[in-house]
Amino acid sequence: MAGGELTGNSTGAPPQAGVLEGVNPIVYTPSNPITLFIVQAIIVIIFCQLLAYPLRWLHQPRVIAEVLGGILLGPTVMMRIPGFEAAIFPPASMPVFNNVANLGLIIFLFLVALEVDIRLFTQNWKAALSVGMAGMILPFGLGFAIAWGLYKEFHVDEAIGFGVFGLFIGTALAITAFPVLCRILSELNLLRSGVGVTVLAAGIGNDVTGWVLLALCVALTNNSSGLAALWALLCCIGWTLFLIFAIRPPFIWILKRTGSLHNGPTQGMVALTLLMVLASSWFTGIIGVHPIFGAFLVGLICPHDGGFAIKLTEKIEDLISVLFLPLYFALSGLKTNLGLLNDGITWGYCIGVIACAFAGKIIGGTLAARANKLLWRESFTIGALMSCKGLVELIVLNIGYQAGILSETTFSMFVVMALVTTVATTPMTKLLYPKWYQTKVERWRKGEIDWDGNELNPSESLQGGLKKGVDSQIRRLMVHLRLDSLPSLFTFITILSPESVTKKQVEPETPDAESAEVIIKKRPLEVHGMRILELTDRTSSVMHLTEGEDFYSLRDPVVNAFRTFSQLHDVAVSGRVAVVPADSYAETLMTQAHEVSSDFALIPWGESGSMSEDQSFPVTADTNERFKSFTHLDFISQTLEKASAICNAGIFIDNGFGGITKPVDRPELQRTKSAISIRNQADVAVLPVANKSHHVFFPFFGGADDRVALRIVLQLAKNPHVSATIVRINSSEKEKLSSTAKSAAASTTTTEDNSETNKTAVSSSPVSGTDVEDGALYATLKSSLPEDLATRVNFSEADVPTGKEELKEIILLAQQAVGNTRDNAGDVVVLGRRNAKKGFAEVSGSSSSAAGGGVPDLKNTVGEVAERLITTGIRASLLVIQAGGRGQA
């Protein structure tokens, strides 16, 4: 007998070598069901992942891919292939598949409840209650109305009365998918807005109420009499009270005792929590209510204090979302047969169900939001968001199908409705509430503009703009905070803002007392820090947002270290955390720079050359890896592109700035004679930097970027620890215009002796970007250099040959100027990103990937001179500057 034909009636032992003895690997055998189950799981996961990738670009949630994957595997498409169902999804194998999928569903509903923070509802209860109730009552009524026709036309189980059927249809249309809603709001950056807060608060109440109604439907269906259903509901209420008052207090006490509440759950606490989930699910299952309700209740009683809910979610979410949840939605798709929607009446009811779902939610939510004094456009957006069904709707429909409430045709209709409403949510929200309208409403509510967009204080705005154009100093700095770049950022802020000391006489309080002299320390700099965390598809990432960005801004260790340093050095400071998708990093930074009216945005290049700040590997990447990351190059390019319309910007590439040299290679194991010597070697204290000097080298080529860079170099040189070498690069093309430039500068400088007036005359003159203007600015700043800077700033000119040798000469000049004092606090080479040299490759002002679809490289991102310095391995940090906003003028 062949191995593949072996049956349970055979008296011989089954083959132990599997396919090596001719056993068919995909034949289902009750004694070894895992083999076919693995094949089924692989197929489901591949389908879902392949569909999720293109749908992600359309800003659709992952649940759409999972549902579509299940539909494609079901009788709608794949099961029409002869032999597919019998080979891959035979009926005998489905109990195992069903058990695994439902176990995943139980844990997933626990995660859904963990995501629900009741505090958000209680803090906004007025708007939440009105929007939530109106968003449920109207669609529930419309659902009950259309249920009459559906019951007469498609209902097949006579044991289910119209009352239960209508209650279920109304609940299915009234429910809102809270988890999917959170993801849509986070991706559209609406969680901090009034619209987002209102929708989330209403969604929480809607979600809990929907599950209660669904529990009522299931109890009425699973119990033969109304009295039995009443007992089931009373038992469910009693179990809920038992969990709240008898289980939750000792559970929180154990979490505090073990340190799990604030430090994250230990393995034992994860096991205890999952045991509570399974026990509660078992109880609600045996009393005639679905097991998922028990899991949901346990999730609701878990505390959110100390981030416990988020950390617990992080422990178990990936396995559920990648493996178990796709299996459940594949199981749902296997029951969906869109081929049953094959006549006009069926499609008419299907369209009617979709219309009721949209109309009930949009009309009810819009009117309730408008009653709470929101704008009409905001109100329509809230109604559109509340119409999202998502995965919660699919779970509800599957429960109704399993309970016999829905026929296969009705089930397929509602699956179509769930897909349409979920897919349409994001496009409708973008259409009703675009970014420009959000900005307009925000400025209108702040009192900056009237409703027509006119400035309410145009004179103040004009004076601020003129002051910003005249004043060349960086007074308001915006920095991107990264954990691996804090040392270099702290050093840069320190030297950019030299301390000024003034003395002030204080009048005595009494006639007999002597007057006192008070020393006032000032740093003319205001720094705004922005820390960005990546928003991913994970539930825990979205929960960071729903907990509140402001909450994390107060507790984030990087932001707090930045605040403390700045305050101790007498610098005005602010800092906050933003959680956004990776492709929104650049927009988030530049939006913050615009909001704080920044003069200069400083973006540090990551030590590892990646977007993440993972410090688990405590050495920096080598040059070959640090500057080749596509995502990081694209982020820098997009940031510079957006900065060109807002403010000047700089990319800082750290190389020992601040006196800290980080190891490039993994440290070798040092073998010594004893454990004492090993401890002594590891604990050697690092002495303070004795030589706190910095030297700045700046090759001035000309152009808008170089003119901004020249002024920043002079501002850095005001710090007594900083010296600078400024070299104007001349070539044969510029020599003809040199005398003209100097004469123009001389005529400007002789008009007045005051150096500050000279700066104003040059700054306010129109800058054409020509060599004449560059030469005039260079000569003017050189001649008007204050005495205290003249000894530390060296102006010179260098004639370099044109062609290929030109870049080599510039690299040689840089190597001669910096990196020669090994024990100082680090040198810097300052460069303009887009200089005026014709011999160098032109740097695009926009992201190459965004503009032309190409891959951004290092040369196009930082310029050819900076790229050559990086690859050469110069012993200094780099500051690549791009003019933006008024700095381009």
Side-chain angles (χ1 to χ4, degrees):
M1 181 180 293
E5 298 173 357
L6 190 66
T7 64
N9 296 326
S10 175
T11 57
Q16 300 300 310
V19 294
L20 301 180
E21 295 187 31
V23 175
N24 189 340
I26 62 172
V27 168
Y28 173 75
T29 54
S31 60
N32 189 27
I34 187 65
T35 304
L36 181 58
F37 174 77
I38 292 174
V39 174
Q40 293 170 340
I42 290 174
I43 292 174
V44 169
I45 293 174
I46 290 176
F47 260 75
C48 292
Q49 294 297 327
L50 289 178
L51 289 170
Y53 184 77
L55 288 172
R56 187 181 301 117
W57 292 102
L58 299 175
H59 302 285
Q60 293 299 327
R62 178 180 291 272
V63 63
I64 299 297
E66 294 167 348
V67 175
L68 288 178
I71 292 175
L72 292 177
L73 289 172
T76 303
V77 181
M78 296 297 293
M79 282 190 178
R80 293 180 180 270
I81 301 175
F84 178 81
E85 180 179 7
I88 305 299
F89 294 101
S93 70
M94 296 315 292
V96 176
F97 193 92
N98 185 72
N99 283 338
V100 176
N102 279 282
L103 177 62
L105 178 65
I106 288 173
I107 302 177
F108 174 73
L109 260 293
F110 166 69
L111 293 179
V112 170
L114 274 182
E115 198 172 353
V116 174
D117 190 353
I118 300 298
R119 293 174 298 182
L120 184 63
F121 178 84
T122 56
Q123 291 170 0
N124 305 276
W125 68 271
K126 289 184 178 179
L129 189 63
S130 58
V131 174
M133 292 299 294
M136 288 197 74
I137 293 174
L138 186 57
F140 185 88
L142 292 175
F144 210 92
I146 200 172
W148 178 257
L150 292 171
Y151 185 80
K152 294 295 184 181
E153 191 72 32
F154 304 105
H155 195 61
V156 294
D157 191 351
E158 299 297 334
I160 303 296
F162 173 72
V164 175
F165 184 82
L167 179 63
F168 181 86
I169 297 298
T171 302
L173 290 184
I175 206 165
T176 295
F178 180 77
V180 178
L181 198 59
C182 288
R183 282 151 186 79
I184 292 174
L185 289 172
S186 59
E187 289 177 359
L188 297 179
N189 199 23
L190 291 176
L191 280 176
R192 291 169 58 96
S193 66
V195 169
V197 172
T198 303
V199 169
L200 277 185
I204 290 174
N206 195 303
D207 204 35
V208 175
T209 305
W211 288 116
V212 172
L213 291 175
L214 183 60
L216 177 62
C217 293
V218 175
L220 291 173
T221 304
N222 291 341
N223 293 277
S224 56
S225 64
L227 183 60
L230 178 61
W231 278 112
L233 288 176
L234 290 177
C235 288
C236 194
I237 294 173
W239 180 251
T240 303
L241 297 176
F242 176 74
L243 289 175
I244 294 173
F245 296 107
I247 299 298
R248 190 173 189 270
F251 179 59
I252 294 178
W253 181 84
I254 295 174
L255 292 177
K256 291 180 179 178
R257 189 67 181 267
T258 59
S260 299
L261 190 63
H262 298 284
N263 302 324
T266 63
Q267 192 175 56
M269 289 300 98
V270 173
L272 175 62
T273 307
L274 291 179
L275 283 174
M276 291 168 54
V277 172
L278 295 177
S280 182
S281 301
W282 174 79
F283 180 81
T284 55
I286 64 173
I287 64 174
V289 183
H290 201 281
I292 64 172
F293 296 104
F296 188 80
L297 292 175
V298 173
L300 289 179
I301 69 169
C302 286
H304 285 252
D305 301 332
F308 172 78
I310 296 176
K311 294 170 184 175
L312 179 59
T313 302
E314 291 174 344
K315 300 285 186 183
I316 56 180
E317 62 180 334
D318 282 347
L319 186 63
I320 299 300
S321 60
V322 173
L323 176 61
F324 286 101
L325 204 58
L327 294 181
Y328 181 80
F329 286 114
L331 185 66
S332 173
L334 295 177
K335 305 170 188 173
T336 305
N337 186 1
L338 298 184
L340 296 176
L341 309 180
N342 54 7
D343 55 39
I345 294 178
T346 305
W347 275 109
Y349 273 105
C350 184
I351 295 173
V353 169
I354 295 173
C356 289
F358 275 122
K361 284 290 185 180
I362 292 177
I363 295 174
T366 299
L367 294 178
R370 182 59 182 168
N372 282 279
K373 299 182 180 179
L374 273 76
L375 300 173
W376 274 113
R377 201 157 187 167
E378 291 178 321
S379 302
F380 274 114
T381 304
I382 290 174
L385 286 166
M386 293 295 291
S387 67
C388 178
K389 301 297 183 185
L391 50 83
V392 174
E393 180 73 12
L394 268 295
I395 295 171
V396 170
L397 296 178
N398 275 278
I399 293 174
Y401 184 79
Q402 293 171 2
I405 300 174
L406 299 179
S407 64
E408 189 175 2
T409 303
T410 312
F411 176 78
S412 300
M413 286 183 194
F414 276 80
V415 169
V416 172
M417 180 271 295
L419 284 173
V420 171
T421 53
T422 306
V423 168
T425 301
T426 299
M428 284 196 305
T429 304
K430 287 184 174 181
L431 180 65
L432 292 169
Y433 204 53
K435 189 66 179 177
W436 65 265
Y437 184 79
Q438 299 175 38
T439 304
K440 174 185 175 180
V441 171
E442 183 179 3
R443 295 190 64 194
W444 174 68
R445 286 190 169 132
K446 288 180 178 178
E448 297 177 1
I449 60 173
D450 60 18
W451 186 248
D452 295 327
N454 301 315
E455 295 282 349
L456 293 182
N457 297 306
S459 59
E460 293 182 8
S461 176
L462 180 60
Q463 290 174 4
L466 291 174
K467 182 179 179 181
K468 186 174 179 180
V470 171
D471 193 355
S472 61
Q473 300 292 311
I474 298 176
R475 300 194 180 278
R476 192 172 285 115
L477 175 69
M478 202 283 294
V479 297
H480 175 207
L481 298 179
R482 289 178 58 103
L483 179 61
D484 54 5
S485 303
L486 283 184
S488 59
L489 287 177
F490 290 165
T491 307
F492 185 86
I493 293 171
T494 301
I495 66 174
L496 184 66
S497 176
E499 186 175 80
S500 61
V501 178
T502 59
K503 297 181 179 180
K504 181 180 180 181
Q505 291 292 130
V506 179
E507 295 296 331
E509 296 181 359
T510 61
D512 299 334
E514 298 181 358
S515 61
E517 189 176 69
V518 178
I519 297 177
I520 302 176
K521 298 180 179 180
K522 292 183 179 180
R523 290 182 184 266
L525 185 67
E526 182 179 311
V527 185
H528 301 269
M530 167 67 78
R531 175 107 188 273
I532 301 182
L533 303 178
E534 184 180 0
L535 175 66
T536 64
D537 293 336
R538 289 181 169 91
T539 302
S540 56
S541 181
V542 179
M543 291 171 70
H544 279 283
L545 276 177
T546 56
E547 292 280 352
E549 285 182 343
D550 296 334
F551 172 75
Y552 285 97
S553 298
L554 295 175
R555 298 187 58 186
D556 184 78
V558 174
V559 173
N560 284 333
F562 171 72
R563 285 198 191 103
T564 302
F565 166 82
S566 300
Q567 290 173 350
L568 290 176
H569 287 74
D570 302 313
V571 175
V573 64
S574 72
R576 76 179 190 88
V577 176
V579 186
V580 298
D583 56 3
S584 299
Y585 276 24
E587 181 181 357
T588 303
L589 284 172
M590 289 302 103
T591 300
Q592 176 71 2
H594 175 71
E595 289 178 354
V596 300
S597 301
S598 174
D599 304 313
F600 190 78
L602 183 64
I603 314 299
W605 197 289
E607 295 290 343
S608 61
S610 66
M611 302 286 287
S612 68
E613 303 177 47
D614 184 12
Q615 298 296 304
S616 58
F617 189 69
V619 296
T620 59
D622 58 20
T623 304
N624 293 329
E625 298 299 327
R626 186 181 180 188
F627 301 100
K628 287 186 176 180
S629 171
F630 166 77
T631 54
H632 198 264
L633 287 168
D634 191 51
F635 158 64
I636 297 294
S637 298
Q638 288 187 25
T639 303
L640 293 174
E641 177 189 1
K642 295 180 183 301
S644 62
I646 298 174
C647 65
N648 302 324
I651 305 301
F652 191 84
I653 302 173
D654 181 30
N655 186 13
F657 195 59
I660 300 177
T661 303
K662 301 178 182 178
V664 176
D665 300 320
R666 183 187 291 273
E668 297 180 357
L669 178 64
Q670 304 219 351
R671 301 189 178 277
T672 51
K673 294 183 179 180
S674 67
I676 297 177
S677 60
I678 292 176
R679 185 184 68 245
N680 290 342
Q681 275 194 349
D683 296 340
V684 173
V686 179
L687 297 176
V689 178
N691 183 2
K692 294 181 171 58
S693 66
H694 307 271
H695 189 73
V696 179
F697 174 70
F698 172 50
F700 181 78
F701 300 99
D705 292 353
D706 278 34
R707 290 193 290 272
V708 172
L710 178 59
R711 294 184 178 279
I712 292 176
V713 169
L714 293 179
Q715 181 174 355
L716 292 173
K718 292 181 179 180
N719 190 292
H721 296 294
V722 177
S723 59
T725 298
I726 302 173
V727 181
R728 188 183 181 203
I729 306 299
N730 291 324
S731 62
S732 57
E733 299 173 357
K734 289 187 175 181
E735 290 174 0
K736 297 178 181 179
L737 298 173
S738 178
S739 59
T740 307
K742 291 180 179 178
S743 62
S747 63
T748 305
T749 55
T750 54
T751 55
E752 289 190 38
D753 293 330
N754 189 293
S755 62
E756 197 64 34
T757 306
N758 296 335
K759 295 179 185 179
T760 304
V762 175
S763 300
S764 59
S765 63
V767 180
S768 62
T770 64
D771 290 329
V772 175
E773 296 294 337
D774 294 332
L777 176 66
Y778 181 85
T780 301
L781 293 179
K782 178 181 178 181
S783 61
S784 61
L785 198 65
E787 293 183 2
D788 60 330
L789 296 185
T791 59
R792 292 183 286 107
V793 179
N794 178 30
F795 281 89
S796 63
E797 298 191 17
D799 297 328
V800 296
T802 58
K804 297 182 179 179
E805 297 298 321
E806 187 172 10
L807 194 55
K808 293 181 180 179
E809 290 291 332
I810 295 169
I811 301 300
L812 182 60
L813 288 173
Q815 291 174 338
Q816 292 173 350
V818 297
N820 300 318
T821 307
R822 293 182 177 273
D823 59 346
N824 72 343
D827 297 337
V828 183
V829 176
V830 179
L831 295 167
R833 180 174 180 246
R834 303 161 298 186
N835 57 65
K837 282 296 296 166
K838 296 180 181 178
F840 298 152
E842 181 70 17
V843 178
S844 172
S846 62
S847 170
S848 56
S849 63
V855 177
D857 59 10
L858 184 60
K859 182 186 295 186
N860 285 331
T861 303
V862 299
E864 186 173 2
V865 180
E867 187 262 346
R868 184 65 65 88
L869 286 171
I870 291 170
T871 55
T872 303
I874 191 166
R875 293 194 300 269
S877 302
L878 293 180
L879 177 60
V880 182
I881 293 175
Q882 173 186 284
R886 297 182 183 273
Q888 299 180 93

